[in-house]
Every structure is written in structure tokens, then in C-alpha cells.
Amino acid sequence: MRKRIAVLFGGASSEYEVSLQSAYAVISHMNREMYEILPIGIAKDGCWYLYRGELSNIPDDNWMRENVCVPVVASPDKNLHGILLLKENGVERVSLDGAMPILHGKNGEDGTVQGVLELADIPVIGCDTMSSAICMDKETAHRLTKECGVKVPRSYIITEADCRDAKRIEEYGEKLGYPLFVKPLRAGSSFGITKVDEKENLQDAVEHAFAYDSHVILEEMIAGFEVGCAILGNDKLTLGEVDEIELSDGFFDYTEKYTLKSSMIHVPARISKQKAEEIKDAAVRIYRGLGCRYFARVDMFLTPEGEIYFNEVNTIPGFTAHSRYPNMMKAAGISFEEILSRLLEM
């Protein structure tokens, strides 16, 4: 008998469109002989729908049509461990063997959806509520990573109340030095992030970041380049090859992540085998220390002196065929199909 797996896509997030691309790739590569796939789309207003139309309509955002969508909610009945289909002629109960959120950013990667699934006693294929929330909160993730023995950038947190204290913000900037980064505390895909080269631009950058979150972090810029490590597994871990982001200018913002206009990604990274092993070791410590499960991508910086600094953990990294996570695994000899097969077997 096939196991019934829900794949969640879309979401009330600024990364809605990216999720559509990732989820389409995931669903398209799942083994339909072993698994019954239930695509559940989450609209931008947060409503959930079981999608019963053509998969090809998902990446173009043409999926949400009345004749192929059934409103759905997670059931509070733990004995069902499933969902309720809200049909015109009544409610249909559907049990699930697991759910795989392919949702990026807020309301998807931050533990909120994971919490709903855990309350319904639906097994989550991915990081749980706690680890998702921790990894999304940059300050908390940095503190725990430091306890794991990995270097982290110096930083300061600004609340909405602090936003009016220009003098304090200026003092933080002076302590960190320029250039520095201003980031929303809990946001993904580099939304709201500004690289600030001089103090005259600091206040505007802070106000811009507050458009994305109620807390903002000022962070020291680490000289060097970004490297990443893809990790798969729970007790036994499989690591992809370390990759490297080569930038010609600026930083790896949303546009660069999805267009690579002026940047390149090298897999494997152009570093020594020994340094790659050091990066993998740091990534495993972070993955374990922050409670990650099933899969995640750990991003770090490598300085010209060879020091490794933590950047962030993506608990639901991009999952298209050309995304960093599957490409790092591919370089280690693990195909897209095998990634999904291993995840579902867990």
C-alpha cells in the first residue's frame, strides 16, 4: 500500500513564488509507485487547499482555481493524524503518513506550519517546530552556534522602540565598523537586507529592514566569501560537496540568488580538501547543535586567513533542479530522486 504524503507549497510569504518552483520540482521527482502525493497549496492569504489539477500549473501560479481546489485544514484529532477536506456536501477525513513543507521564509520556514502539523500529529519531513524557529531567528541561531565552537559575526539587535534612538544606532555602527549589514531578524532570501558602507545611510537601512520584521540586526561584515554545506539525515548524516559563491560586487541578495547576474556558484568550492573537511565539520556541529533534522543547508563565510564564520541555516533550502542544495548533493553522487527517496524512507 502506498504511503500518503502531503507536500505543502506557496505560503503567506514574500517567497511564495520561489516555493512554487521548489515544490513543483519535488513533486515531479517523487516516486508515484511508492507514494500517493497530496499537493496542498497555501494561498497568499494563508488559506489551505488540496490541489487536484495539473502539476504544470503550479510553477506559473495558475493552480488556484475553484474547480481543482478543495479547502482543507489540519485536523486537531490526533487519532486521524491528517486533514479535513471541506467539501460542499460535507467534511472528508484524510489521514497522512507524513507532510513535507516546501515553504520558504516566514509562515513556512519559521516553525509556524511545523507547529500546526505537530499539533495534528502529522509527521513532519524536515526540521521540527523548535529547530525551524531557532534557525529563522538570526540572534538565537548565532548564540547557539557560538556555543558549538564556531565563530559568529559581532552584532547588535534593534527593536522598534530603539528605531527612534538614532544616537544608539549610530554607536552600534561605530562599534561594528563599516561596511556592515542591516538585516531583518527573521526573514529569508535576503529580503530587507542592506549593505551599509557609511554611517549616513545606516538609519535608512534600519527603517527598510523594519518593513520585514519587528526586530532588526546590525551585523559585522566578514571579509571573504560564502560557502555552503548540504546535509541530509537524522542520526546518520550524509553531506554534499561544499560549494562557493563568487561575487563580482555587492552581496548575494534575492536577485543574485535566482538570476546569478553577476555571480557564480562553484561546486565543489575552489578550496583545499582539508579546508572543505573543516567546513563540513563546522556544518555538522551547527546542524546538530541547532536541532536540525532530515535536511538543511548550512551557510558560512571563509575569510582570507582561513577562518570559518557562521552565516545562517536554511531549514528549507531551494529545491529546484538548479538550486544549491541538490547540486551539492549531486556533486557527492546523490541524485535529486535519491534525496527525496531517502527523506521519505526516514
Side-chain angles (χ1 to χ4, degrees):
M1 184 175 178
R2 293 187 301 169
K3 288 187 177 181
R4 188 178 290 141
I5 305 294
V7 176
L8 279 61
F9 65 89
S13 164
S14 53
E15 298 178 67
Y16 171 91
E17 287 79 10
V18 182
S19 170
L20 302 184
Q21 303 293 326
S22 291
Y24 174 69
V26 167
I27 296 170
S28 300
H29 287 82
M30 282 183 163
N31 187 336
R32 296 304 184 90
E33 293 181 0
M34 296 183 62
Y35 302 101
E36 178 186 353
I37 310 302
L38 274 63
I40 296 179
I42 302 178
K44 291 181 179 181
D45 63 2
C47 294
W48 293 29
Y49 301 93
L50 175 63
Y51 176 62
R52 289 175 162 168
E54 294 292 329
L55 292 180
S56 58
N57 288 324
I58 293 177
D60 296 328
D61 197 16
N62 292 318
W63 65 275
M64 206 173 73
R65 289 177 288 178
E66 190 174 340
N67 63 324
V68 291
C69 285
V70 179
V72 61
V73 295
S75 171
D77 183 356
K78 288 182 177 289
N79 293 317
L80 176 65
H81 52 84
I83 55 177
L84 304 177
L85 304 185
L86 309 180
K87 297 183 173 181
E88 291 184 0
N89 58 350
V91 175
E92 180 182 345
R93 294 156 55 91
V94 178
S95 63
L96 298 173
D97 294 295
M100 187 174 184
I102 305 297
L103 305 162
H104 305 307
K106 280 190 173 184
N107 304 310
E109 202 172 351
D110 55 4
T112 50
V113 167
Q114 290 78 4
V116 170
L117 295 172
E118 288 178 17
L119 282 172
D121 202 25
I122 300 170
V124 179
I125 303 168
C127 290
D128 63 13
T129 302
M130 178 70 78
S131 60
S132 297
I134 287 172
C135 292
M136 196 68 172
D137 187 298
K138 294 177 176 63
E139 183 189 28
T140 303
H142 281 205
R143 286 185 179 183
L144 291 176
T145 295
K146 191 174 182 180
E147 292 295 320
C148 296
V150 180
K151 290 182 171 66
V152 300
R154 293 178 298 126
S155 62
Y156 293 98
I157 300 297
I158 301 173
T159 66
E160 287 182 321
D162 296 328
C163 186
R164 294 184 292 273
D165 191 344
K167 185 177 179 181
R168 177 184 293 184
I169 294 172
E170 187 175 316
E171 288 175 355
Y172 289 161
E174 290 175 357
K175 289 178 180 179
L176 293 175
Y178 294 90
L180 57 79
F181 283 100
V182 178
K183 306 177 180 181
L185 189 65
R186 297 158 297 214
S189 273
S190 301
F191 283 110
I193 296 180
T194 305
K195 181 183 177 183
V196 180
D197 294 305
E198 49 192 21
K199 66 179 182 180
E200 288 76 15
N201 300 325
L202 182 57
Q203 188 66 34
D204 287 344
V206 169
E207 292 175 5
H208 175 61
F210 270 116
Y212 294 86
D213 196 15
S214 60
H215 290 69
V216 167
I217 185 169
L218 269 59
E219 190 177 291
E220 168 192 22
M221 190 187 89
I222 302 300
F225 55 88
E226 187 174 333
V227 292
C229 183
I231 301 181
L232 174 69
N234 293 330
D235 298 326
K236 183 180 178 181
L237 301 183
T238 299
L239 276 64
E241 290 295 334
V242 173
D243 78 352
E244 166 200 346
I245 298 172
E246 180 186 5
L247 289 172
S248 60
D249 189 32
F251 66 99
F252 205 51
D253 61 10
Y254 181 83
T255 301
E256 283 299 327
K257 285 181 180 180
Y258 298 107
T259 66
L260 296 177
K261 280 186 177 180
S262 61
S263 58
M264 292 181 64
I265 298 177
H266 302 277
V267 189
R270 299 170 300 174
I271 57 178
S272 69
K273 185 176 180 180
Q274 178 183 349
K275 188 56 63 176
E277 291 302 318
E278 290 178 23
I279 289 168
K280 290 179 181 179
D281 177 71
V284 168
R285 278 185 280 158
I286 295 166
Y287 186 90
R288 299 257 193 227
L290 273 56
C292 298
R293 292 179 59 77
Y294 287 90
F295 65 97
R297 193 188 75 229
V298 182
D299 294 339
M300 293 157 281
F301 296 110
L302 182 63
T303 72
E305 296 75 27
E307 294 182 311
I308 299 166
Y309 279 79
F310 173 66
N311 181 20
E312 64 180 356
V313 175
N314 281 268
T315 53
I316 308 179
F319 248 99
T320 66
H322 58 267
S323 295
R324 292 175 64 195
Y325 184 95
N327 278 334
M328 284 189 268
M329 285 297 178
K330 182 180 179 180
I334 302 170
S335 67
F336 203 122
E337 291 83 358
E338 187 174 350
I339 293 171
L340 297 174
S341 176
R342 291 194 190 187
L343 286 172
L344 296 172
E345 287 170 4
M346 292 181 205

